[in-house]
Amino acid sequence: MLRAVGLFSRSSLEAPTLFSSLPHQIHLPNPRLALALAVPPQIRTTIFAGFMIGKRTIMAATSTTASPKLLFRQLFEKDSSTYTYLLADVSHPDKPALLIDPVDKTVERDLSLIRDLGLKLVYAMNTHVHADHVTGTGLIKTKMPEVKSVVSKASGARADILIEPGDKISIASLFLELQVRATPGHTSGCVTYVTGDGPSQPQPRMAFTGDALLIRGCGRTDFQSGSPQQLYKSVHSQIFTLPKPTLLYPAHDYKGFTVTTVGEEIQYNPRLTKDEETFKHIMENLNLSYPKMMDIAVPANMVCGLQDLPSKASS
């Protein structure tokens, strides 16, 4: 059963316009987390949004007069070759936004861009506990305490919102849905964020795959409870089953590529086009070096990018 996590507004790509109307009422019942969204048929709509955890319900009301429009930016951190993704609804008065996989070294750049564009950052999200860089979510929260950090519950890491498979993360009045799909194998807590498949969602769909699926590659499986068999099953069941035109945005690229599609990777990925046993053999014989940032990054990222170092505790 799907459950909805928050609701602040909704989006569409800059070109072309990708959204139409939302049904008059949507109910997403769940014993742990639920919302009901009512949209009058008039051009001007009032959106009542909120979420329920246990018996506690938090509701808010916002208004909008324009058609939703998604602002999308792909940002790059060169030392770890990490992509950070910025998505925002620029048609909503608040211009709510989210960041996927921010890096501590580029937080100032990202927040400066958000300020320049007049956006309101709502979520700072991670696809998994990274081993090659320290996430920027903790640093962002020291500067913007109202921002909610997000990571998967399966990761065992700390965050404001711990997501599970089937959850939906939403921004804006008509909300861009990011559906959570579990894609473990690189680590045990990897997730892929996928835009919805409804008529008012972006077309082609977009998926943010973290390290599970890279462009013509995939994440390594030899640490952090990785498993080549699990990664193979994750990609084939949760990503390769998406429509072939779906745009795939990875957390890293080391050859200058920026985006691929499901169809391309099904046809051309040199590892994941093989059968499972061949894939397992490939992954178990990569002989990769130990990640140079792992001993710093993983402990820090388990606590949302903030770490109480022993030297500070003893001083």
Side-chain angles (χ1 to χ4, degrees):
M1 178 178 290
L2 296 180
R3 63 188 182 103
V5 178
L7 182 61
F8 292 88
S9 12
R10 158 84 112 102
S11 330
S12 139
L13 278 174
E14 285 188 330
T17 300
L18 297 171
F19 290 95
S20 56
S21 60
L22 193 71
H24 290 182
Q25 191 168 27
I26 292 177
H27 292 287
L28 297 176
N30 186 282
R32 296 174 55 203
L33 194 63
L35 66 82
L37 173 63
V39 183
Q42 295 88 348
I43 294 177
R44 179 177 179 84
T45 61
T46 299
I47 312 298
F48 292 94
F51 53 88
M52 181 175 70
I53 303 177
K55 295 182 179 180
R56 181 169 64 93
T57 303
I58 301 171
M59 300 297 295
T62 60
S63 298
T64 182
T65 56
S67 298
K69 186 176 182 182
L70 178 70
L71 178 146
F72 174 71
R73 296 288 185 271
Q74 183 179 38
L75 308 168
F76 188 67
E77 194 282 309
K78 61 182 179 62
D79 291 340
S80 60
S81 298
T82 299
Y83 285 123
T84 296
Y85 298 98
L86 172 65
L87 295 83
D89 178 7
V90 294
S91 67
H92 189 278
D94 292 336
K95 296 184 178 180
L98 61 82
L99 282 171
I100 298 174
D101 286 334
V103 179
D104 63 340
K105 292 181 179 180
T106 48
V107 161
E108 289 298 336
R109 176 204 65 187
D110 298 348
L111 295 185
S112 177
L113 176 61
I114 287 169
R115 287 191 295 268
D116 288 347
L117 297 174
L119 308 178
K120 179 182 179 180
L121 186 61
V122 177
Y123 295 126
M125 306 162 54
N126 284 292
T127 54
H128 63 291
V129 172
H130 301 272
D132 53 7
H133 68 270
V134 175
T135 178
T137 53
L139 185 56
I140 289 170
K141 286 182 64 62
T142 65
K143 299 174 182 294
M144 304 176 69
E146 70 278 8
V147 174
K148 300 298 184 184
S149 57
V150 180
V151 75
S152 75
K153 184 177 181 179
S155 70
R158 284 167 45 190
D160 296 315
I161 300 174
L162 300 177
I163 52 171
E164 299 180 68
D167 284 354
K168 290 184 179 180
I169 298 172
S170 313
I171 62 169
S173 55
L174 295 182
F175 71 91
L176 171 77
E177 289 181 357
L178 288 180
Q179 301 175 354
V180 179
R181 295 191 174 206
T183 49
H186 169 62
T187 74
S188 57
C190 287
V191 296
T192 292
Y193 299 115
V194 185
T195 57
D197 58 356
S200 55
Q201 293 290 308
Q203 296 297 330
R205 296 174 74 180
M206 306 163 71
F208 301 90
T209 59
D211 288 13
L213 180 63
L214 306 179
I215 300 172
R216 307 299 191 267
C218 62
R220 61 194 293 177
T221 59
D222 58 335
F223 59 82
Q224 290 182 276
S225 302
S227 164
Q229 299 97 320
Q230 193 173 40
L231 181 59
Y232 188 90
K233 289 180 173 65
S234 293
V235 172
H236 279 265
S237 66
Q238 299 299 316
I239 300 176
F240 282 178
T241 53
L242 291 165
K244 289 184 179 180
T246 301
L247 300 172
L248 302 179
Y249 293 97
H252 304 281
D253 189 82
Y254 309 99
K255 297 181 180 179
F257 294 110
T258 58
V259 64
T260 184
T261 67
V262 169
E264 282 185 41
E265 295 308 310
I266 288 174
Q267 186 171 359
Y268 299 119
N269 191 292
R271 297 176 184 174
L272 287 154
T273 52
K274 305 295 192 292
D275 61 75
E276 185 175 340
E277 278 303 312
T278 303
F279 176 78
K280 179 175 179 290
H281 178 78
I282 291 171
M283 299 306 293
E284 290 177 344
N285 291 276
L286 292 177
N287 298 317
L288 298 172
S289 60
Y290 190 81
K292 62 181 181 180
M293 280 288 293
M294 184 168 177
D295 293 339
I296 298 172
V298 171
N301 292 336
M302 290 297 290
V303 290
C304 197
L306 294 177
Q307 186 176 23
D308 293 324
L309 299 176
S311 58
K312 291 184 180 179
S314 60
S315 61

